Amino acid sequence: MATEKMKSLVYKTKANDVDEKGIVTVAVNGIGVKDSQGDISMPGSFNKTLAENIGKMRWFLNHKTDQLLGVPLSGKEEDGNLIMVGQLNLEKQMGRDVLADYKLFAENGRTLEHSIGVSAIKRDKDDKSKVLEWKMWEYSTLTAWGANPQTFLVGIKSASREQVEEAARLLSKAAEGKYGHSDERLNSFDMELKKLLKALDGGNIVKCPYCGQDFDYDQQPEHSFSTQVLELASQYAHWMVDGVVYEEMQKLAPEIQAEVMAVLQAVNIMKADGALVTEQKNAIELYTEKNIQDAMTYVRCPHCWNRVYKTMTVIGQSAEPTAKEDEPSGDTHGKSEEETGGEAKEEKAAGGTFDLMKLGDCFES
C-alpha cells in the first residue's frame, strides 16, 4: 500500500518527566482515540516504525526543521499513549529555554503540547479510519498553541476571567527567572504580562487580522474614515435587500470601494466574527448606524501597517467571559506545514480571537 501524505497529530501531554540533564519523557499521541480527521491509531501501529526508524526520527520545536531541539532516544506504546524519550541539546540556548518551559509547566500543574509528523502505511480494510501502521518522521514540542483546543491556552473571548488571571499568574512566575530562561525570554514574559494586565484592567489590546500581531490600541495614533465612506457603508444593507450591491459599488471610484469594504469588513469581524453576511435580515442587523460608527476608527498595526480596528479587541472592554472548561475536547488533530503547503503563513489570523496575549510566541526561541 502506498504511503499517504504526511500529517501532524497534535496531542496534549499525558506524561511530563524531565531531569536536569535534559532527558524528557512525554506522551506525544493517543492510541485508540479518534482524532478530528477521523483517524484512529490502533494498538501496535507505531511498533514497526519505532523499531526501524528511531535513528532517523527528529525532535523539533513547532515542526520547524531549522529548530532541532534534540535527539529521540526511544519510544513505545504504553497505557494508551505513544511515549517518547528524548535528549534536549543543552548546548543551545533554545534547548535550555525549552527545558525551563517544561519545568515551569510541571511545577504549576500544566503540560506542554506535542505533535508528531506521520504518514499512514496500512489501514484496516473494513474500517479505513483505523490505522494499523504509521511511519513516524518526527515529533515536536509545541510552544505556539492556539489551533488545538486541548491546550491550556485558549482564545481570550472564549475564556473566563479566572482563566485569564490564571494565565497572568503563570506568566508572573515565569518572569521571576528561577527556571533558567534566557534574558531575552524573560523580557518577553515581562512585556506580555504588562499587556495582559492592561487588558484585564479594561484596556484595548487588539490583534491584527493580517499578521496576528497583538498590541495596545491606545498606544497607536487613531485614524477615521470620511463621512462619505461611512454614509455609503451604511447604505450597503439596503443595497443587499434591493439586490443592487454590484451596480451601486460599480458607481464608486476604486479607492472609495476599497474604503467602504474596509468598514464593512470591520463590522463583520466585530459582529459576526469574520463571517460573511448571507441573508438579508442579517445584513440589516449587521450594518446599522451604530455598528458602522463603532467600526469607523482604526490604527495602523506596528508590525505590518495594515488597518486594525478597535472592534478587534481581544480582551478587555469587548471580552465576554464564558464558563470555564476544565476538560479537553476530543480534537487532537492539526495540519502540518507540509500538508498545507505553507499556506497557513499566508492566511489572515482569525479575527476576534487571541492566543493568550501571544504567550505561545513568547515561549519560542
Side-chain angles (χ1 to χ4, degrees):
M1 182 178 294
T3 302
E4 295 182 12
K5 195 172 184 178
M6 178 178 165
K7 64 177 67 178
S8 175
L9 301 179
V10 184
Y11 194 68
K12 184 177 179 181
T13 309
K14 296 293 185 181
N16 192 352
D17 185 14
V18 57
D19 64 22
E20 292 298 325
K21 294 181 179 180
I23 302 294
V24 180
T25 303
V26 289
V28 296
N29 194 58
I31 306 297
V33 179
K34 179 175 289 188
D35 60 48
S36 63
Q37 291 190 13
D39 287 332
I40 304 172
S41 300
M42 298 303 292
S45 56
F46 291 97
N47 288 346
K48 190 173 188 292
T49 192
L50 290 171
E52 298 178 357
N53 305 120
I54 188 68
K56 297 180 180 179
M57 292 180 191
R58 297 291 183 265
W59 181 10
F60 296 126
L61 181 68
N62 299 320
H63 293 293
K64 296 180 179 179
T65 57
D66 61 344
Q67 294 191 8
L68 187 66
L69 275 181
V71 58
L73 300 176
S74 63
K76 62 180 177 180
E77 294 184 14
E78 183 177 79
D79 298 328
N81 293 286
L82 171 60
I83 307 295
M84 297 299 298
V85 179
Q87 169 69 65
L88 282 169
N89 184 354
L90 299 183
E91 294 298 315
K92 294 181 178 179
Q93 184 60 57
M94 175 178 62
R96 295 192 293 273
D97 276 334
V98 171
L99 175 61
D101 291 344
Y102 276 113
K103 292 192 292 185
L104 165 68
F105 271 64
E107 184 174 307
N108 291 280
R110 297 293 180 181
T111 57
L112 290 173
E113 198 172 70
H114 297 82
S115 179
I116 58 174
V118 291
S119 301
I121 300 296
K122 185 179 180 181
R123 294 179 178 271
D124 188 290
K125 293 181 179 179
D126 298 323
D127 186 349
K128 297 298 183 182
S129 67
K130 296 180 179 179
V131 179
L132 304 180
E133 181 185 341
W134 288 110
K135 183 169 184 179
M136 181 171 164
W137 304 93
E138 53 93 7
Y139 70 97
S140 287
T141 299
L142 305 182
T143 58
W145 308 280
N148 190 287
Q150 283 204 340
T151 181
F152 154 63
L153 299 175
V154 293
I156 286 296
K157 280 194 173 181
S158 63
S160 66
R161 185 177 181 87
E162 289 76 17
Q163 288 174 306
V164 178
E165 290 174 344
E166 184 177 357
R169 286 193 291 271
L170 181 62
L171 264 178
S172 297
K173 291 181 180 180
E176 293 174 1
K178 66 179 182 178
Y179 297 99
H181 289 101
S182 63
D183 290 341
E184 181 180 1
R185 191 75 70 89
L186 291 174
N187 289 336
S188 295
F189 290 157
D190 184 61
M191 291 171 58
E192 298 303 323
L193 180 59
K194 287 178 180 177
K195 285 191 290 186
L196 184 54
L197 293 176
K198 177 178 174 62
L200 286 170
D201 196 38
N204 288 309
I205 304 299
V206 295
K207 187 182 191 72
C208 176
Y210 297 92
C211 68
Q213 180 78 17
D214 59 277
F215 60 92
D216 186 346
Y217 183 95
D218 298 327
Q219 293 299 310
Q220 305 299 321
E222 193 172 54
H223 309 276
S224 63
F225 289 100
S226 68
T227 302
Q228 178 191 11
V229 169
L230 294 175
E231 289 176 349
L232 289 168
S234 65
Q235 292 296 313
Y236 189 85
H238 299 290
W239 294 345
M240 288 194 68
V241 172
D242 296 336
V244 294
V245 170
Y246 183 82
E247 292 82 353
E248 293 296 331
M249 291 296 290
Q250 285 291 96
K251 297 176 183 178
L252 307 178
E255 60 271 18
I256 300 297
Q257 291 177 359
E259 297 290 289
V260 170
M261 294 311 297
V263 172
L264 299 177
Q265 181 187 43
V267 177
N268 280 329
I269 291 174
M270 173 188 70
K271 194 73 176 178
D273 206 21
L276 294 177
V277 178
T278 57
E279 298 181 13
Q280 293 177 353
K281 62 179 181 180
N282 289 342
I284 295 173
E285 176 185 356
L286 199 61
Y287 302 121
T288 62
E289 182 178 352
K290 180 182 183 303
N291 289 339
I292 295 294
Q293 291 297 323
D294 287 343
M296 71 179 291
T297 56
Y298 66 93
V299 298
R300 290 289 183 178
C301 173
H303 181 67
C304 70
W305 200 245
N306 276 295
R307 287 171 178 165
V308 179
Y309 302 89
K310 187 175 291 187
T311 56
M312 295 172 183
T313 302
V314 290
I315 181 174
Q317 295 175 354
S318 66
E320 298 178 359
T322 59
K324 182 174 181 180
E325 297 181 2
D326 293 321
E327 295 299 322
S329 79
D331 187 2
T332 60
H333 192 178
K335 289 184 179 180
S336 68
E337 185 171 332
E338 282 128 297
E339 189 174 3
T340 60
E343 64 187 35
K345 295 180 181 179
E346 302 297 329
E347 293 178 355
K348 293 181 181 180
T353 60
F354 197 58
D355 298 341
L356 218 48
M357 318 320 291
K358 302 292 281 185
L359 179 58
D361 286 353
C362 80
F363 273 0
E364 291 189 46
S365 298

